[in-house]
């Protein structure tokens, strides 16, 4: 069974500061990992995903995440926060067998302070 | 229209009403999903359809009834709902070809049950 834990339901950073959103997963097999972003009154949009290969994954809007198997983590980072990054971020996991089903964390709301 | 669309965007209904949510995808995908998003809880997968056949039903109460008449359309029929069913209902689609392809989400229907 898969599960995802996102540490911190709210994170605040200053504009221009580093963004770090944490995600740890529990999976019986090496998973596929995703980060989605949700802006107000909108659906979820894929930021990036890890399936195989390089463990450092680059996504849209300057975000990247690193898959660390030993730590069962897939933390999301961005070197310099922009006001437009304020949104809710969801980490999700899918296993490598069976259907293409995603299991989501509870989300982290990012606030960017001017 | 592009992507995944959902109608209506907002719905208020009484517990004795019958209503339907509609989702349409314009991406040529063969899999569609219903999710429930409640405050402070992970997104809950409700139903999955692959090639118009229901492949997942995650213990959803019978007051929610899905319908998938073709690979582009997905409905969620609602009847005798409870106030705790108030939530954002998200539809998603993906191309299920054995790989873990991205799920594309619609903007959601904000449902309030009085």
């Amino acid at each position: 069974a898969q599960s995802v834990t996102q540490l911190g339901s709210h994170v605040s950073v200053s504009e221009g500061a580093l963004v770090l959103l944490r995600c740890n997963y529990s999976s019986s097999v090496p998973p596929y990992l995703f980060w989605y972003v949700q802006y107000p009154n909108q659906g979820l949009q894929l930021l990036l995903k890890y399936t195989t290969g390089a463990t450092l994954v680059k996504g849209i809007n300057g975000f990247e995440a690193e898959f660390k198997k030993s730590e069962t983590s897939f933390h999301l980072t961005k070197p310099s926060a922009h006001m437009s990054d304020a949104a809710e971020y969801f980490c999700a996991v899918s296993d490598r067998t069976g259907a293409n089903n995603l299991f989501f964390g509870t989300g982290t709301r990012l606030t960017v302070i001017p | 229209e592009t992507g995944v669309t959902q109608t209506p965007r907002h719905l208020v209904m009484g517990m004795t009403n019958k209503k339907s949510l509609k989702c349409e995808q314009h991406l040529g995908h063969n899999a569609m999903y219903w999710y429930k998003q409640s405050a402070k809880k992970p997104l809950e997968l409700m139903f999955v359809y692959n090639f118009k056949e229901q492949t997942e039903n995650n213990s959803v109460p019978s007051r929610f009834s899905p319908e998938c008449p073709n690979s582009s359309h997905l409905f969620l029929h609602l009847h005798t709902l409870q106030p705790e069913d108030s939530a954002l209902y998200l539809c998603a689609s993906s191309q299920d070809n054995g790989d873990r392809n991205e799920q594309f989400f619609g903007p959601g229907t904000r449902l309030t049950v009085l």
Side-chain angles (χ1 to χ4, degrees):
Chain A
Q2 300 83 27
S3 67
V4 175
T5 301
Q6 291 184 241
L7 278 178
S9 58
H10 290 85
V11 170
S12 293
V13 299
S14 298
E15 191 174 14
L18 171 72
V19 176
L20 170 61
L21 304 182
R22 299 178 186 275
C23 173
N24 289 87
Y25 66 89
S26 171
S27 176
S28 56
V29 297
Y32 292 93
L33 295 156
F34 305 79
W35 274 101
Y36 280 83
V37 61
Q38 185 178 30
Y39 298 101
N41 300 315
Q42 294 186 31
L44 279 67
Q45 178 185 2
L46 183 71
L47 274 178
L48 49 80
K49 67 178 181 181
Y50 169 77
T51 54
T52 59
T55 55
L56 181 63
V57 181
K58 294 187 185 298
I60 62 171
N61 302 339
F63 284 93
E64 61 183 37
E66 187 170 10
F67 169 56
K68 292 188 175 181
K69 184 178 177 181
S70 60
E71 299 178 7
T72 61
S73 69
F74 191 57
H75 301 330
L76 182 71
T77 60
K78 182 174 180 178
S80 176
H82 192 272
M83 295 299 295
S84 61
D85 295 327
E88 186 133 23
Y89 292 79
F90 294 91
C91 183
V93 62
S94 175
D95 71 21
R96 293 175 183 262
T97 61
N100 187 19
N101 295 345
L102 293 176
F103 298 87
F104 286 85
T106 51
T108 297
R109 182 167 299 279
L110 176 67
T111 300
V112 181
I113 304 165
Chain B
E1 292 280 11
T2 59
V4 181
T5 58
Q6 290 186 242
T7 53
R9 293 293 308 274
H10 299 272
L11 178 62
V12 179
M13 60 187 289
M15 290 191 286
T16 58
N17 292 157
K18 288 185 179 181
K19 297 287 184 183
S20 296
L21 311 185
K22 179 183 176 182
C23 175
E24 184 173 0
Q25 59 96 0
H26 310 267
L27 301 167
H29 291 162
N30 58 13
M32 297 187 76
Y33 312 76
W34 278 117
Y35 288 88
K36 177 183 179 182
Q37 186 178 23
S38 305
K40 302 189 189 314
K41 295 172 73 173
L43 268 75
E44 302 171 53
L45 179 65
M46 301 174 71
F47 301 104
V48 181
Y49 278 82
N50 273 288
F51 297 99
K52 301 184 298 178
E53 291 188 7
Q54 188 180 129
T55 57
E56 294 280 337
N57 175 344
N58 285 346
S59 303
V60 180
S62 59
R63 56 186 184 269
F64 295 91
S65 174
E67 178 189 2
C68 188
N70 55 60
S71 58
S72 298
H73 293 86
L74 185 64
F75 295 89
L76 188 63
H77 303 301
L78 317 171
H79 66 96
T80 60
L81 294 192
Q82 304 298 311
E84 60 264 28
D85 297 322
S86 299
L88 182 67
Y89 288 84
L90 292 166
C91 174
S93 72
S94 70
Q95 185 60 27
D96 191 359
N97 55 10
D99 197 359
R100 287 301 176 264
N101 291 314
E102 173 186 355
Q103 290 186 19
F104 291 79
F105 285 79
T109 295
R110 174 70 61 187
L111 174 66
T112 303
V113 181
L114 301 176

